[in-house]
Amino acid sequence: MPSVEQTWKVGPLAEASGLTVRTLHHWDELGLLCPSRRTASGHRAYTEPDVVRLYQILALRRLGLGLETIATCLDAGVDPRRLVREHLAATEASLAALRDLHERLGHLDTELAAEREPGTADLLRLVRAVGATGPAADEALRRHLDEDQLHALADHAAALGPAAHYLLEVEWPQLYRRAEALRTAGADPADPRVRRIAARLDELSRLFSGGDTALSAAVRTAWREEPAALSGDPDAPADAWADLRTFLDRARGAAS
């Protein structure tokens, strides 16, 4: 006899997950996490695959991604093993930072209990402890960026933590693919959907370049000359990307 799949109404799922009903309703309205089943009495219910998606949303949030980026990543497909490994690594890093902070605070408490003023070095260590709480694309970038720019790009990416992978390797190419789909469907560059994509691409560019215009220009050149490598699409034709660049530039002009 086949087993019956377990389902959850919004209240029990909120209680089991530690979220609020309001949060789950909000995610439902956004289309981020929608109940995919109806009970015999007509009530909407979450299924086991919905709970898997819920974990993915929470793990990606823990890695620092916003809801819009999370939606893009889930639509594009997320490698579950990589997500779990990166979530585990982020958790281990947090635990290590908390252990270090615990040790620093314990030392400071001992000093203060003995009526000794903490030294500057101790305070600086405490401040530091509190603050702690694709091959083809790489090769393409190396052909267009100098060593200083590569280091700067790596530093900015490192500052983003595990979120950098999803922003650069999942969301960024997906945004280009969505823009290309709109272009080939005949959308007007002034279409709000196109303008939002262009604005998000510019926002990601600023995140990874740290506002360095020369670095941004070098990365744009790499995208222009080697779209296949940087888009993750080995069949990406250069002329199509040229048309897409013009399309996105027109969208930026419509937004200004």
Side-chain angles (χ1 to χ4, degrees), residues 145 149 152-157 160 172 201-220:
L145 278 64
Q149 289 174 322
L153 194 63
D155 287 345
H156 295 311
L160 294 171
W172 205 319
L201 285 167
D202 291 343
E203 184 180 4
L204 290 176
S205 178
R206 288 191 295 272
L207 278 175
F208 281 94
S209 68
D212 185 327
T213 55
L215 180 55
S216 291
V219 174
R220 282 198 302 272

Side-chain angles (χ1 to χ4, degrees), residues 3-26:
S3 59
V4 178
E5 183 182 36
Q6 185 175 1
T7 60
W8 294 263
K9 293 181 182 178
V10 65
L13 182 61
E15 183 178 356
S17 63
L19 298 170
T20 64
V21 169
R22 182 178 180 181
T23 294
L24 291 176
H25 279 318
H26 178 55

Side-chain angles (χ1 to χ4, degrees), residues 52-63 65 73-74 78-91 162 165-166:
V52 172
R53 185 176 175 93
L54 174 59
Y55 164 71
Q56 292 174 335
I57 293 169
L58 295 176
L60 289 168
R61 282 185 71 194
R62 176 64 182 80
L63 296 177
L65 301 183
C73 290
L74 293 179
V78 170
D79 178 352
R81 289 191 62 192
R82 177 161 191 166
L83 177 58
V84 170
R85 286 197 302 268
E86 292 187 342
H87 192 190
L88 178 62
T91 302
H165 160 70
Y166 295 95

Side-chain angles (χ1 to χ4, degrees), residues 185-253:
D188 190 312
D191 186 315
R193 294 173 297 172
V194 184
R195 290 163 55 185
R196 282 196 297 269
I197 290 173
R200 180 57 178 164
L201 285 167
D202 291 343
E203 184 180 4
L204 290 176
S205 178
R206 288 191 295 272
L207 278 175
F208 281 94
S209 68
D212 185 327
T213 55
L215 180 55
S216 291
V219 174
R220 282 198 302 272
T221 299
W223 267 95
R224 182 175 64 249
E225 298 184 6
E226 303 192 48
L230 288 172
S231 68
D233 180 2
D235 300 319
D239 55 347
W241 285 86
D243 293 339
L244 180 56
R245 282 195 308 276
T246 301
F247 181 68
L248 288 170
D249 285 343
R250 289 173 61 194
R252 293 180 178 100

Side-chain angles (χ1 to χ4, degrees), residues 86-159:
E86 292 187 342
H87 192 190
L88 178 62
T91 302
E92 289 174 343
S94 296
L95 288 172
L98 285 172
R99 284 193 294 269
D100 185 43
L101 178 58
H102 181 270
E103 180 182 337
R104 302 296 178 193
L105 287 170
H107 174 72
L108 185 60
D109 182 58
T110 300
E111 293 294 293
L112 292 172
E115 298 186 349
R116 291 192 295 268
E117 288 292 328
T120 303
D122 290 328
L123 289 176
L124 288 176
R125 280 193 291 270
L126 180 60
V127 168
R128 191 160 52 245
V130 171
T133 51
D138 291 343
E139 289 301 316
L141 288 173
R142 287 186 179 279
R143 287 189 284 272
H144 296 277
L145 278 64
D146 61 32
E147 285 300 317
D148 288 341
Q149 289 174 322
L150 286 169
H151 285 305
L153 194 63
D155 287 345
H156 295 311

